[in-house]
Amino acid sequence: MSREQLREVAKKMAAFRKVLLFPHVNMDGDSLGSSFALCTGLRQLGCDAYIYAGQTVPHNLDFLGEGCLTEEPPFQGEDYLSLLVDCGSRSRISGREEVFDAGSAHACIDHHASVENDTTFDFAYIEPESAATGELIYQVLQDLDVEITLPIAEAVYTAISTDTGSFQHSNTTARTHRIAAALHEVNGFSCKKIASLIYDRNSLASMKLEGRVFEALHSYCDGALLVSRVTQEMLRETGCTMEDADRMVSRLQSIDGAEVSCLLKEQEDGIVRGSLRAKSYIDVASVAERFGGGGHLRAAGFRREGTVDEVEALVTEALIQSFRKEDHEG
C-alpha cells in the first residue's frame, strides 16, 4: 500500500468525533505505544478518544497510557469509530468484541502480514513491510499536522524500539531510523530513559523465573532451534505472573548459534500460548499459522488448546520440518 492510501485513512479517521482504540490482547510496546500516541494525537484535534485495552498494563510499559486508558466502554448509545491497532482481526481483542462491533464504523492500522479475514472494515491500512505499527502511527500524526509532543514521541519510540528488538531485528529499515532520529529532536526526549523503563526494571522473582526457563530449555538442529516453556507451577514457585515471561523468548534468541527460539506459556484455562522468533532465514509465521496464529516472517505467535507437553511436541516437530525444508531448498 502507498503513503497516499495511509493519508486517506488518516483523513477518514480524523473525521470521527469519537474514537475507541483496541490494542491486541497481551499488549506489547508496539500495540500500547501506538495506541497511546494515536489517542493523544487525536485528542489534540478535538476528538474524544480512548484506549479500551481490557487488561492491566504490563509493568515495563506502565509509563504509557496515562489519561487515555478506560476500563469500561466510554460511549453508550453514541456513534464512534472502532479502531484496531497493531492487529487485523477481532479475534485478537478477546473479551472486547461486542464493544468493537457496537461502533458505527470499523477500521484497522496494522503491520502484520497474517490476517484471519474474520473482520469487515470500513477502511484499513496494513503494511507488512513496516517494522512496527508505531511507524505508521507516526506518519498518520504527521499527515494530520499533530504536534509531536514528548509523550507522543516516547510512545512512538517505545513502539518502534520494542518491535525491532532495539533496532537489531531484520525488519529495521532506513525509515525506522529516520523516524527515531526525528523523535530525538523533541524537547526533553531521552532514548536512555525509555530503554531503562522498558528493560531495566526486572524483579528478582522474574530473574529466578528466567533461570527456570533456561533449565527447561531443549536444543535441536545442532543448537539452531531452542524450545522452552513457562508453566503455572514455575510461576507459583517463583512468585511471578505470566507477564514476567513475555520478554524471555528474546533472551533465548540471544544464545549463540540460535536461529529460532520458541517459548511456550501455559495458561490457566487449558490454552498454551507460543512465541516464535527467528534471526535470518526461517519463516516462523508459517509455523504459527499451522497452529491458528500468525505474525511476521521472523516474529510470530499462536494459541493452542492442550497440555504444554502436547503442544511442545507438535510445535517442535513443525519447526524441525521448517529447518529440513530450508536445508533441502538451500
Side-chain angles (χ1 to χ4, degrees):
M1 300 182 79
S2 69
R3 180 65 187 275
E4 186 56 41
Q5 290 171 303
L6 183 58
R7 291 192 184 98
E8 188 62 28
V9 166
K11 291 178 183 177
K12 291 179 179 179
M13 186 192 317
F16 287 85
R17 293 297 85 198
K18 298 181 184 297
V19 179
L20 193 55
L21 308 177
F22 294 79
H24 60 68
V25 68
N26 301 311
M27 290 183 293
D28 58 13
D30 194 18
S31 63
L32 181 57
S34 295
S35 296
F36 181 61
L38 181 56
C39 185
T40 304
L42 290 172
R43 287 183 174 186
Q44 268 192 42
L45 302 176
C47 177
D48 194 9
Y50 291 91
I51 301 169
Y52 185 38
Q55 69 176 97
T56 303
V57 173
H59 172 66
N60 68 318
L61 301 174
D62 60 8
F63 60 97
L64 297 174
E66 184 176 359
C68 288
L69 287 160
T70 179
E71 295 183 3
E72 298 293 335
F75 310 127
Q76 302 294 334
E78 304 169 81
D79 289 341
Y80 62 90
L81 172 65
S82 291
L83 178 65
L84 297 183
V85 181
D86 197 39
C87 60
S89 166
R90 65 194 296 279
S91 67
R92 297 285 287 126
I93 56 169
S94 179
R96 293 165 287 158
E97 298 94 334
E98 186 175 340
V99 179
F100 176 82
D101 293 341
S104 54
H106 306 87
C108 163
I109 297 181
D110 187 24
H111 76 129
H112 293 91
S114 298
V115 179
E116 294 184 25
N117 295 316
D118 66 349
T119 310
T120 300
F121 299 112
D122 294 278
F123 56 93
Y125 188 86
I126 300 174
E127 186 182 284
E129 298 78 20
S130 181
T133 298
E135 288 190 14
L136 305 177
I137 296 302
Y138 179 80
Q139 293 174 94
V140 165
L141 297 177
Q142 282 192 315
D143 292 339
L144 296 177
D145 293 324
V146 166
E147 177 188 358
I148 305 301
T149 61
L150 181 58
I152 290 176
E154 291 180 340
V156 171
Y157 189 84
T158 297
I160 293 174
S161 64
T162 53
D163 247 32
T164 59
S166 297
F167 306 93
Q168 298 178 72
H169 294 169
S170 60
N171 60 349
T172 307
T173 65
R175 185 180 74 180
T176 309
H177 287 293
R178 285 195 293 269
I179 293 174
L183 298 175
H184 277 75
E185 299 298 325
V186 175
N187 187 39
F189 179 82
S190 167
C191 65
K192 173 58 179 173
K193 170 190 170 183
I194 301 303
S196 294
L197 287 169
I198 296 172
Y199 302 114
D200 296 339
R201 293 191 291 164
N202 298 307
S203 67
L204 178 58
S206 71
M207 299 302 288
K208 290 180 179 179
L209 178 62
E210 183 175 299
R212 299 294 179 86
V213 169
F214 280 105
E215 288 176 359
L217 181 66
H218 291 96
S219 175
Y220 306 91
C221 304
D222 297 323
L225 170 59
L226 302 176
V227 181
S228 191
R229 60 174 62 185
V230 177
T231 66
Q232 290 297 312
E233 182 180 4
M234 292 162 67
L235 296 181
R236 288 191 295 270
E237 290 175 347
T238 58
C240 288
T241 66
M242 196 58 79
E243 174 189 313
D244 293 306
D246 284 343
R247 290 176 290 160
M248 291 185 185
V249 67
S250 297
R251 292 286 292 142
L252 297 179
Q253 195 72 347
S254 69
I255 295 175
D256 187 28
E259 163 60 22
V260 173
S261 58
C262 170
L263 184 65
L264 301 172
K265 291 165 278 189
E266 180 188 41
Q267 309 299 296
E268 294 180 302
D269 57 359
I271 297 292
V272 175
R273 283 175 46 213
S275 296
L276 305 173
R277 299 291 183 272
K279 284 183 180 175
S280 59
Y281 61 89
I282 296 295
D283 177 4
V284 293
S286 64
V287 175
E289 287 170 2
R290 291 173 59 178
F291 296 92
H296 306 289
L297 285 174
R298 310 292 178 240
F302 64 87
R303 291 167 55 87
R304 175 89 172 193
E305 288 187 6
T307 68
V308 68
D309 288 333
E310 292 168 344
V311 175
E312 180 171 341
L314 292 170
V315 174
T316 299
E317 179 56 32
L319 289 167
I320 291 173
Q321 289 176 8
S322 293
F323 277 94
R324 290 171 178 164
K325 178 182 178 183
E326 184 66 29
D327 289 342
H328 176 74
E329 293 179 351

